[in-house]
Amino acid sequence: VRDILDENRFRYHFQPIVDARTGEIFAYEALMRADVTPFMSPLKILKYAEHMERLYDVEKATFFNVLDCIGREKIHTTGRKVFINSIPGNRLQGEDADLLREKIQEYRGSVVVELTEQAEIQDDELMTMKADFAGMGIETAVDDYGTGYSNVTNLLRYMPNYVKIDRMLLSKIQESPQKQHFVREIIEFAHDNDIKALAEGVETTEEIQMVIHLGVDLIQGYYTAKPSPEIISEIDS
């Protein structure tokens, strides 16, 4: 992990996020990988980076590497967005923050930051973060909603542009009236507050039919497209 960090051996796979109404690709999520053998999972990288007190280095590499990918692949010229995972409590500071503001101007409106497990962030820090993101033209998403820290209180505090409904709520949703009821309420709340609802981890025909029936705006999962090192321009009709 130290070598990965020191040598910036991060690579990224991009998973399409699809418009539930048209089937068109709306955005991509950038998913971290490492250029090492044998394969090392992102969770393991984060675990050891945290042990070495180097999560900030992961955050910095992620933002600047993905921005480079956006520019190299010219994703920003297509009108599509890129979702970037952010590590809680490791927002870029000082010269790194200044450089980010400078670089992101070219991609203004193309970046969505995914926020996860932010339960301990203070209100003043949250307001500062939201103001900084808004000033840079960055939208926000609450990830893994419906599990762990991603609860109603945080959704009300963050009021993001997107809410990503966790896979645990969507797995075999067609067989569970309780899951359907809960997910329908999330979608209705989102729509009442100008938030797009994204169904995450959709894997089967039955699941995609149900989430479309319930009114989700966006779909992400193996059913529509798997993560790929290549940026695909469309999914199979």
Side-chain angles (χ1 to χ4, degrees), residues 65-95:
N65 289 345
V66 174
L67 288 179
D68 287 345
C69 288
I70 292 173
R72 186 169 62 251
E73 302 291 340
K74 294 183 168 48
I75 299 172
H76 60 297
T77 66
T78 66
R80 294 168 177 168
K81 300 177 186 291
V82 176
F83 284 57
I84 301 176
N85 289 282
S86 179
I87 303 172
N90 287 273
R91 205 155 50 92
L92 300 188
Q93 305 291 331
E95 292 182 359

Side-chain angles (χ1 to χ4, degrees), residues 7 28 34 37 40 44 47 61 71 75 84 86 91 97 100 108 123 149 162 184 186-187 206-207 216 227 236:
E7 300 169 19
Y28 305 90
T37 303
M40 181 176 288
K44 183 170 284 189
K47 173 185 174 182
I75 299 172
I84 301 176
S86 179
R91 205 155 50 92
L100 176 64
R108 193 176 182 85
D123 286 343
Y149 291 110
Y162 307 86
R184 184 184 291 110
I186 295 170
I187 293 168
E206 293 78 15
E207 288 169 1
V216 298
D236 189 282

Side-chain angles (χ1 to χ4, degrees), residues 2-237:
R2 186 178 291 109
D3 289 344
I4 292 168
L5 293 167
D6 289 345
E7 300 169 19
N8 191 12
R9 298 176 67 178
F10 293 107
R11 303 294 180 266
Y12 300 87
H13 286 199
F14 292 84
Q15 185 171 29
I17 294 168
V18 177
D19 188 308
R21 291 163 181 78
T22 67
E24 298 292 322
I25 295 175
F26 173 83
Y28 305 90
E29 180 179 355
L31 298 164
M32 182 178 74
R33 301 289 186 266
D35 183 21
V36 293
T37 303
F39 173 79
M40 181 176 288
S41 74
L43 287 177
K44 183 170 284 189
I45 294 170
L46 291 172
K47 173 185 174 182
Y48 285 101
E50 182 177 20
H51 179 70
M52 292 185 286
E53 298 184 347
R54 295 189 63 179
L55 285 176
Y56 182 91
D57 294 335
V58 178
E59 182 84 346
K60 178 179 175 180
T62 297
F63 269 90
F64 289 119
N65 289 345
V66 174
L67 288 179
D68 287 345
C69 288
I70 292 173
R72 186 169 62 251
E73 302 291 340
K74 294 183 168 48
I75 299 172
H76 60 297
T77 66
T78 66
R80 294 168 177 168
K81 300 177 186 291
V82 176
F83 284 57
I84 301 176
N85 289 282
S86 179
I87 303 172
N90 287 273
R91 205 155 50 92
L92 300 188
Q93 305 291 331
E95 292 182 359
D96 294 332
D98 294 339
L99 182 58
L100 176 64
R101 291 189 187 94
E102 179 184 328
K103 287 179 70 71
I104 210 164
Q105 287 306 310
E106 186 178 352
Y107 313 124
R108 193 176 182 85
S110 299
V111 174
V112 180
V113 172
E114 295 192 19
L115 306 171
T116 57
E117 299 188 2
Q118 296 268 335
E120 296 180 3
I121 191 171
Q122 299 298 314
D123 286 343
D124 56 346
E125 186 181 350
L126 174 62
M127 296 306 294
T128 299
M129 179 181 71
K130 289 177 69 172
D132 283 351
F133 285 157
M136 290 186 279
I138 294 175
E139 293 182 312
T140 57
V142 166
D143 196 16
D144 302 330
Y145 186 74
T147 62
Y149 291 110
S150 297
N151 52 35
V152 174
T153 303
N154 274 343
L155 188 58
L156 291 170
R157 290 177 72 212
Y158 298 133
M159 291 303 291
N161 304 97
Y162 307 86
V163 56
K164 300 187 75 173
I165 304 169
D166 188 77
R167 163 76 187 155
M168 294 297 292
L169 290 176
L170 303 177
S171 176
K172 298 183 179 179
I173 187 173
Q174 73 280 359
E175 300 175 6
S176 172
Q178 293 83 7
K179 286 184 177 182
Q180 293 167 34
H181 179 80
F182 190 32
V183 170
R184 184 184 291 110
E185 288 194 342
I186 295 170
I187 293 168
E188 289 176 356
F189 175 86
H191 290 171
D192 287 345
N193 291 278
D194 296 321
I195 299 169
K196 289 188 182 294
L198 189 160
E200 190 173 27
V202 175
E203 294 185 355
T204 69
T205 302
E206 293 78 15
E207 288 169 1
I208 200 169
Q209 288 173 340
M210 180 55 68
V211 297
I212 290 174
H213 172 71
L214 293 174
V216 298
D217 303 289
L218 303 168
I219 295 168
Q220 178 181 358
Y222 280 12
Y223 187 91
T224 46
K226 294 183 178 181
S228 167
E230 291 81 31
I231 306 289
I232 66 170
S233 59
E234 61 183 12
I235 63 167
D236 189 282
S237 58

